[in-house]
């Protein structure tokens, strides 16, 4: 039974609630321009996100909270296999979205979602179960621990890169390596994995699709990039800069009207920073830190290894997702297409957040 008297649990629930409220208020303003322009309804995306998406998220989150977490440990390989199958089916024309050149979306009748989003969740559960049952001596072993780990992660990464979903590979890979590190991986093996990852990334950038290299130019060498490729970054930075200390005012963003076409998804932080300024941006970042610290406190207090690793991995990947989105908005990282957790429009991501929060509370 969950004890709401535990400080970490209460803090985690409070942080989650505040993020949901903040996300609701931010999305109302950020999506109003696109909703009015495309659908003639400034509240179109709010209705989709919170009347449909949040209702489903609450149900899913409650399921992951109520079902004993031991069930997910015992069946983790099955669920990972099932979600991998959906990822592969998305490559078939009959299961993909019409007109899409990428293969990120799985469509069956009226249902459509990105299975790679949920692959991240179930891979973390699978890895937590695998690490929990593995003796420390094998975790520290290159042949019995690190090699199988790298092979499985590499195969999953290859499938996702073919979609392409490079940003999900970054989130999954970073989270997995950090989880393995806290389980007891040797530091020298960590450097080996990082070196392999950097080599693979270099090969991917220079021999793969040109847009990846172009995004790197835009971020780190803008003078080499095409002016049209720099537009999103420049508009985002202009919006954030115009917010100054206290912002231009709620609902008064200029950039959300066509200047930032993804202003309610990937670049929602730029819209929020424009309206609330440095003070509001700092408050939102502080709220994410509050969420991460309270979640990690729950993970650290767990005596069960699976519960500890699973909770840590889920909280870490949400924190990394928030950090990555904000870093993209302020021009520190290339464009990734990663939404801001609990804030950006996207029902798949909202479901993923609900699953993670429900399971973390379950382990508490």
């Amino acid at each position: 039974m969950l004890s709401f008297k535990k400080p970490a649990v209460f803090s985690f629930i409070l942080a989650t609630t505040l993020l949901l409220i903040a996300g609701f208020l931010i999305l109302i303003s950020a999506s109003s321009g696109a909703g009015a322009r495309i659908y003639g309804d400034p509240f179109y995306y709010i209705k989709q996100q919170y009347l449909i998406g949040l209702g489903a998220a609450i149900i899913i989150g409650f399921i992951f909270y109520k079902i004993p977490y031991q069930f997910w440990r015992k069946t983790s390989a099955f669920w990972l296999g099932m979600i991998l199958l959906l990822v592969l089916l998305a490559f078939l024309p009959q299961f993909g979205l019409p007109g899409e050149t990428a293969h990120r979306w799985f469509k069956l009748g009226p249902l459509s979602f990105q299975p790679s989003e949920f692959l991240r969740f179930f891979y973390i559960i699978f890895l937590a179960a695998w690490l929990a049952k593995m003796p420390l001596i094998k975790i520290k072993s290159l042949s019995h621990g690190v090699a199988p780990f790298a092979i499985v992660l590499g195969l999953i990464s290859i499938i996702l890169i073919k979609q392409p979903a490079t940003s999900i590979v970054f989130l999954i890979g970073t989270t997995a390596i950090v989880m393995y590190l806290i389980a007891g991986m040797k530091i020298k093996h960590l450097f080996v994995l990082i070196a392999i990852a950097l080599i693979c990334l270099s090969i991917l950038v220079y021999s793969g699709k040109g847009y990846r290299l172009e995004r790197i130019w835009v971020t780190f060498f803008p003078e080499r990039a095409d002016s049209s490729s720099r537009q999103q970054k420049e508009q985002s930075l202009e919006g954030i800069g115009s917010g100054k200390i206290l912002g231009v005012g709620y609902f008064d963003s200029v950039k959300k009207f066509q200047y930032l076409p993804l202003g309610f998804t990937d670049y929602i932080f730029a819209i929020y920073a424009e309206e609330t300024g440095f003070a509001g941006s700092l408050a939102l970042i502080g709220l994410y830190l509050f969420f991460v610290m309270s979640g990690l406190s729950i993970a650290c207090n767990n005596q069960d290894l699976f519960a500890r690793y699973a909770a840590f991995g889920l909280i870490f990947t949400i924190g990394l997702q928030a950090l990555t989105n904000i870093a993209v908005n302020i021009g520190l990282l290339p464009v990734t297409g990663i939404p801001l957790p609990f804030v950006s429009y996207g029902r798949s991501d909202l479901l993923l957040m609900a699953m993670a929060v429900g399971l973390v509370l379950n382990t508490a």
Side-chain angles (χ1 to χ4, degrees):
M1 180 66 69
L2 183 64
S3 174
F4 292 92
K5 294 181 180 180
K6 294 180 180 179
V9 173
F10 176 78
S11 298
F12 183 69
I13 294 173
L14 177 61
T16 303
T17 304
L18 291 175
L19 278 172
L20 284 171
I21 294 172
F24 175 75
L25 295 174
I26 295 169
L27 188 60
I28 287 178
S29 174
S31 66
S32 60
R37 185 176 68 253
I38 299 172
Y39 297 100
D41 180 4
F43 301 110
Y44 172 81
Y45 291 104
I46 283 292
K47 294 173 183 175
Q48 293 291 313
Q49 182 85 336
Y50 290 96
L51 292 183
I52 300 175
L54 185 60
I58 290 174
I59 294 172
I60 294 296
F62 184 74
I63 290 173
F64 276 84
Y65 164 61
K66 288 299 291 183
I67 296 178
Y69 66 79
Q70 291 86 351
F71 168 80
W72 303 109
R73 174 174 56 190
K74 294 175 181 177
T75 60
S76 60
F78 168 79
W79 294 110
L80 180 62
M82 289 296 294
I83 204 70
L84 271 173
L85 178 61
L86 294 180
V87 170
L88 292 173
L89 286 176
F91 285 92
L92 302 178
Q94 55 267 42
F95 293 108
L97 288 182
E100 286 283 337
T101 55
H103 304 282
R104 302 187 189 99
W105 289 86
F106 175 83
K107 181 175 176 57
L108 185 62
L111 178 67
S112 62
F113 63 96
Q114 295 188 59
S116 58
E117 290 280 355
F118 299 95
L119 176 61
R120 176 163 52 124
F121 175 90
F122 286 109
Y123 176 71
I124 289 172
I125 304 306
F126 169 81
L127 182 58
W130 186 66
L131 291 172
K133 70 179 181 181
M134 182 179 292
L136 184 59
I137 190 172
K138 285 192 174 181
I139 289 177
K140 292 180 176 294
S141 168
L142 181 63
S143 58
H144 293 90
V146 178
F149 164 79
I151 291 171
V152 173
L153 181 59
L155 291 174
I156 290 175
S157 298
I158 290 171
I159 295 172
L160 292 177
I161 288 169
K162 295 295 289 183
Q163 283 193 323
T166 313
S167 56
I168 301 297
V169 173
F170 167 72
L171 291 178
I172 289 179
T174 305
T175 302
I177 290 174
V178 173
M179 287 176 65
Y180 202 115
L181 182 63
I182 67 166
M185 177 173 58
K186 291 181 178 180
I187 297 298
K188 64 179 181 181
H189 293 160
L190 171 65
F191 289 128
V192 170
L193 289 175
I194 292 175
I196 293 173
L198 290 175
I199 292 170
C200 292
L201 177 63
S202 301
I203 295 173
L204 177 66
V205 168
Y206 285 99
S207 64
K209 296 182 181 295
Y211 73 87
R212 295 191 180 105
L213 184 58
E214 183 68 19
R215 289 178 178 180
I216 291 176
W217 291 148
V218 168
T219 304
F220 303 109
F221 308 100
E223 67 280 357
R224 297 187 180 183
D226 185 79
S227 58
S228 60
S229 301
R230 300 197 305 262
Q231 185 177 2
Q232 278 190 333
K233 176 187 174 182
E234 291 171 350
Q235 292 294 333
S236 175
L237 292 176
E238 283 181 17
I240 293 172
S242 64
K244 298 182 180 178
I245 301 298
L246 298 177
V248 299
Y250 185 56
F251 247 88
D252 291 334
S253 166
V254 175
K255 296 299 180 182
K256 66 184 177 185
F257 296 103
Q258 296 185 354
Y259 297 104
L260 279 174
L262 300 177
F264 59 98
T265 54
D266 300 350
Y267 281 92
I268 197 167
F269 181 81
I271 304 297
Y272 171 76
E274 181 186 3
E275 294 187 343
T276 64
F278 179 74
S281 302
L282 202 61
L284 184 60
I285 292 171
L287 190 52
Y288 278 115
L289 287 174
F290 179 39
F291 173 86
V292 170
M293 295 307 295
S294 57
L296 292 182
S297 180
I298 290 175
C300 292
N301 288 332
N302 269 309
Q303 299 303 311
D304 182 273
L305 283 179
F306 168 76
R308 182 185 304 172
Y309 295 150
F312 177 89
L314 293 172
I315 295 300
F316 179 86
T317 197
I318 293 174
L320 180 62
Q321 180 179 336
L323 176 64
T324 303
N325 177 276
I326 293 172
V328 168
N329 276 245
I330 62 178
L332 294 180
L333 286 178
V335 176
T336 60
I338 293 176
L340 190 60
F342 300 102
V343 176
S344 293
Y345 175 77
R347 287 172 290 182
S348 293
D349 190 67
L350 193 60
L351 281 176
L352 180 65
M353 296 301 111
M355 292 162 58
V357 168
L359 190 55
V360 170
L361 289 175
N362 190 334
T363 65

